[in-house]
Amino acid sequence: MRLEKILLEKFHFSSFRKGQKEIIQDLVKGKNVMAMLPTGAGKSVCYQLPGYILEGTVLIVSPLLSLMEDQVQQLKSRGEKNVIGLNSFLSYQKRKSALRSIHRYRFIYVSPEILQSDEVIHALQKIKISLFVIDEAHCISQWGHEFRTDYLKLDDVKNKLGNPPCLALTATATEMVIKDIIHQLDLSDVVKHIYSIDRPNIAINVKKVESLDEKIKGTIEFVKSLQGPGIIYFSSRMWTEKMTLILRENGINRVAFYHGGLENDDRLLIQQQFIQDQLDVICCTNAFGMGVDKANVRYIIHFHYPSQIESYLQEIGRAGRDGNPSIAILLYCNEDHDLAKSIVLHDLPNYEEWALVFTLISNPIQKPSLHELELMMYERHGISEIKWRFMKYQLEHEKVYVNGSVNLHIGVEDAKIKILNIVHERARLKQRDLAGFKRWIEDVDRCRRETLLWRFDQMLENRPECCCDYCNFDIQKYGNDGKISNTYIFTDWEEELKLILKQSGEGQNG
Ligand code: ADP
Ligand code: MG
């Protein structure tokens, strides 16, 4: 009963959701836990509640700044004062003062990057970490779809912090990824809480179209007829903007685009407008979504499909968090397969880029420091941040660089071959995953839900009334009865500013 009481007092929830109590019970006993619960299931409560029982501080590793800030704000709004997000955006002064008073915090959210700072580790070593939480733990796995190099160093961090009990959380991991997470974190005697990742209230509709033109028309039709709000995913920034224009031309005004190329302010504004129902549709890349805790998203459309089934599951999981009927629509035509293939290798440094790096390193006259190499790669060779992070990780991991300088005691040729092999293997895996997802998309002879779950080694327990395009399915159910709101609202600062300037200009003229 005690747990229910805390749940009510601290979180104002009257009962636990599936899995929460079982996980919390194990955590308060001091066990290591690996948990998989579907998106929106309420994973945060699983580590926040023990924070009020265990003695010490709960340390949470979170992959995204926005995610971290959301959680911090949410705890604060519930009256928790002793919570902080430590990340690279905290000013130097604030960080210093936070580290000085580190004892007072019940919850500390950290980015994986900041855990590489000695100063932060030293401060954390002075306090008792009651629980070490790794949120979105699939990022740890080299087989996980969001493979992030700084996540790989967390086992080391865990050791430095005296091996506190650990909770790894994910909504999307195959059995192989789960095994890898446990291995990477070196979790002994781990208790696994793996729940069905099925979201019965989301109907799945995969639809083949004959051409790009048909796909655009189909998208417009869906947006006009479906009950919003909705999210449309694209694989390129350009397309998010293009479709936003097309939709506006078709009378749908409460739509905006969102991608990583936007200024932070714009991104926040659009996210807020969507959350507050001022926008009906977001055309976005996969930069949008994580940390957007919006309960009433009614549809997800994939205009382009992602490169892995795990990403697909995570993206469609953003619909229907309130439990109400929602729909996931994937539109594809033959050309999409080539597009997906070319994108899948995009984030991996290619052979030429590695060759370049090794030529620079092998310069007998002047060997660049890691920092110099970074600048050269960014500024002279225009490499993307994702690629550089991967390169940096490999160069350090293979000890080509030690403490920021070229390691003269290592055979560079051997290291090069080793790294190229790793890259080759990752490329192979990515292509394999993409091919697997494509097979799922094209498999029209079986229940979508069943085959989706199979990929995660799960069985379908109950078939929902509205299941998928293979089973039973009535698109009318998701209609908006012809009602769409058309009140225009501003969608970005620039546009707003332009209009204000224009109006004031007109005022002067008139
Ligand atoms: P996840 O991390 O699993 O995607 P979150 O922890 O962000 O999910 O929670 C999703 C939503 O569910 C949040 O708005 C949260 O407040 C709510 N929630 C969590 N646990 C409960 C509960 N026991 N009862 C009602 N709502 C809950
Ligand atoms: Mg979460």
Side-chain angles (χ1 to χ4, degrees):
M1 231 21 241
R2 185 161 158 245
L3 295 181
E4 273 83 1
K5 196 164 165 254
I6 303 175
L7 184 72
L8 191 64
E9 271 172 16
K10 299 288 181 192
F11 300 90
H12 314 300
F13 298 142
S14 51
S15 60
F16 282 107
R17 286 196 183 150
K18 195 173 170 183
Q20 287 179 328
K21 190 171 180 181
E22 292 79 357
I23 292 170
I24 293 170
Q25 280 170 333
D26 275 334
L27 290 174
V28 296
K29 284 183 204 149
K31 294 189 178 165
N32 288 322
V33 175
M34 164 81 236
M36 179 157 82
L37 286 166
T39 323
K43 287 186 281 298
S44 317
V45 168
C46 296
Y47 60 78
Q48 288 170 348
L49 197 149
Y52 294 101
I53 300 176
L54 299 169
E55 192 194 317
T57 301
V58 179
L59 180 69
I60 308 110
V61 183
S62 177
L64 274 187
L65 206 68
S66 57
L67 207 63
M68 204 182 296
E69 284 306 312
D70 275 2
Q71 301 280 328
V72 170
Q73 286 315 323
Q74 213 176 57
L75 278 170
K76 281 187 178 163
S77 73
R78 291 191 174 123
E80 178 55 67
K81 292 192 191 76
N82 300 319
V83 52
I84 191 167
L86 281 182
N87 51 55
S88 40
F89 285 78
L90 214 59
S91 72
Y92 179 77
Q93 289 305 336
K94 282 207 173 130
R95 179 163 144 184
K96 275 265 183 252
S97 99
L99 292 181
R100 261 201 308 274
S101 51
I102 195 101
H103 297 87
R104 61 170 271 232
Y105 297 108
R106 190 189 296 274
F107 300 102
I108 303 178
Y109 283 84
V110 287
S111 61
E113 290 77 23
I114 208 146
L115 285 177
Q116 294 308 309
S117 144
D118 287 339
E119 194 190 7
V120 171
I121 291 290
H122 286 154
L124 290 172
Q125 280 170 334
K126 288 191 202 127
I127 57 174
K128 179 177 162 59
I129 305 293
S130 59
L131 184 61
F132 185 42
V133 183
I134 291 100
D135 203 5
E136 310 289 344
H138 54 270
C139 297
I140 250 184
S141 168
Q142 57 171 322
W143 324 105
H145 66 284
E146 270 162 304
F147 179 62
R148 294 255 305 265
T149 50
D150 282 309
Y151 261 86
L152 292 183
K153 301 169 188 159
L154 292 181
D155 59 333
D156 192 33
V157 171
K158 186 172 146 257
N159 280 335
K160 286 183 190 156
L161 299 179
N163 279 308
C166 212
L167 166 67
L169 288 168
T170 180
T172 164
T174 57
E175 242 174 41
M176 178 162 151
V177 172
I178 290 175
K179 263 194 204 137
D180 196 33
I181 294 171
I182 293 172
H183 169 75
Q184 297 276 356
L185 284 171
D186 198 12
L187 298 183
S188 51
D189 295 328
V190 64
V191 187
K192 286 195 232 168
H193 287 276
I194 310 294
Y195 288 88
S196 173
I197 44 159
D198 185 30
R199 298 279 307 278
N201 64 318
I202 304 175
I204 303 171
N205 183 17
V206 180
K207 197 168 175 245
K208 183 166 188 199
V209 292
E210 288 314 313
S211 65
L212 180 62
D213 218 35
E214 201 186 305
K215 192 154 73 160
I216 295 173
K217 283 196 186 118
T219 305
I220 298 171
E221 277 317 302
F222 278 127
V223 173
K224 278 190 169 171
S225 62
L226 291 174
Q227 174 67 49
I231 303 174
I232 314 179
Y233 279 105
F234 299 84
S235 59
S236 77
R237 294 175 177 182
M238 186 270 284
W239 263 106
T240 66
E241 299 187 12
K242 194 165 160 171
M243 186 53 82
T244 301
L245 279 180
I246 295 177
L247 289 174
R248 283 190 188 154
E249 278 163 10
N250 279 275
I252 297 141
N253 287 323
R254 290 167 36 113
V255 51
F257 59 85
Y258 182 107
H259 56 64
L262 294 181
E263 294 294 328
N264 260 344
D265 285 350
D266 284 342
R267 281 205 267 180
L268 271 177
L269 177 72
I270 291 164
Q271 192 169 316
Q272 277 317 321
Q273 288 179 330
F274 186 62
I275 288 173
Q276 290 161 9
D277 288 325
Q278 294 169 322
L279 285 168
D280 295 327
V281 190
I282 295 280
C283 295
C284 57
T285 61
N286 61 6
F288 184 79
M290 224 198 247
V292 179
D293 183 18
K294 182 171 172 62
N296 67 337
V297 175
R298 292 276 72 89
Y299 66 84
I300 307 285
I301 298 176
H302 278 95
F303 188 90
H304 296 126
Y305 61 82
S307 60
Q308 270 185 322
I309 203 150
E310 285 100 321
S311 315
Y312 175 71
L313 184 74
Q314 200 159 52
E315 285 164 13
I316 68 171
R318 287 169 192 145
R321 282 171 167 237
D322 55 9
N324 292 330
S326 311
I327 181 166
I329 297 168
L330 186 155
L331 295 168
Y332 76 100
C333 53
N334 282 335
E335 292 80 26
D336 288 339
H337 300 318
D338 293 334
L339 180 71
K341 251 192 215 161
S342 67
I343 288 171
V344 80
L345 300 177
H346 191 257
D347 291 341
L348 279 180
N350 58 32
Y351 183 82
E352 285 75 28
E353 285 158 340
W354 281 112
L356 179 71
V357 160
F358 278 99
T359 311
L360 293 168
I361 294 173
S362 308
N363 183 341
I365 302 163
Q366 200 204 358
K367 301 216 175 280
S369 71
L370 196 57
H371 182 63
E372 284 162 349
L373 185 67
E374 175 174 336
L375 287 182
M376 279 190 252
M377 294 308 286
Y378 274 140
E379 286 168 13
R380 259 193 255 157
H381 304 289
I383 199 165
S384 74
E385 201 179 317
I386 296 179
K387 280 189 185 181
W388 171 251
R389 262 196 249 126
F390 183 83
M391 284 185 143
K392 182 169 171 237
Y393 174 77
Q394 299 300 348
L395 290 170
E396 288 185 323
H397 191 255
E398 294 311 319
K399 302 207 166 31
V400 178
Y401 274 87
V402 174
N403 297 329
S405 312
V406 174
N407 178 5
L408 299 172
H409 308 291
I410 191 178
V412 170
E413 247 341 276
D414 288 348
K416 181 177 167 185
I417 291 169
K418 219 164 153 192
I419 289 177
L420 285 176
N421 277 335
I422 293 170
V423 177
H424 183 76
E425 176 63 5
R426 259 200 87 63
R428 194 184 64 80
L429 286 171
K430 284 184 135 199
Q431 281 164 316
R432 185 204 61 183
D433 287 347
L434 176 65
F437 189 37
K438 177 171 175 257
R439 273 200 303 281
W440 178 83
I441 290 172
E442 291 181 324
D443 185 357
V444 293
D445 298 325
R446 269 174 294 199
C447 166
R448 298 275 179 199
R449 193 174 300 276
E450 245 172 73
T451 46
L452 181 73
L453 289 172
W454 288 352
R455 298 298 171 99
F456 294 88
D457 307 288
Q458 297 192 347
M459 300 290 276
L460 179 62
E461 286 161 12
N462 295 302
R463 191 178 311 285
E465 200 182 86
C466 288
C467 183
C468 65
D469 51 279
Y470 176 78
C471 301
N472 35 24
F473 184 73
D474 177 12
I475 189 99
Q476 302 293 334
K477 276 205 165 161
Y478 305 89
N480 60 15
D481 311 321
K483 284 182 285 206
I484 53 166
S485 172
N486 260 332
T487 329
Y488 187 74
I489 59 136
F490 298 111
T491 49
D492 65 33
W493 295 113
E494 224 174 327
E495 208 167 309
E496 194 163 358
L497 194 70
K498 262 190 222 154
L499 219 96
I500 293 168
L501 289 176
K502 193 168 156 235
Q503 277 167 353
S504 60
E506 277 165 4
Q508 277 162 11
N509 289 338

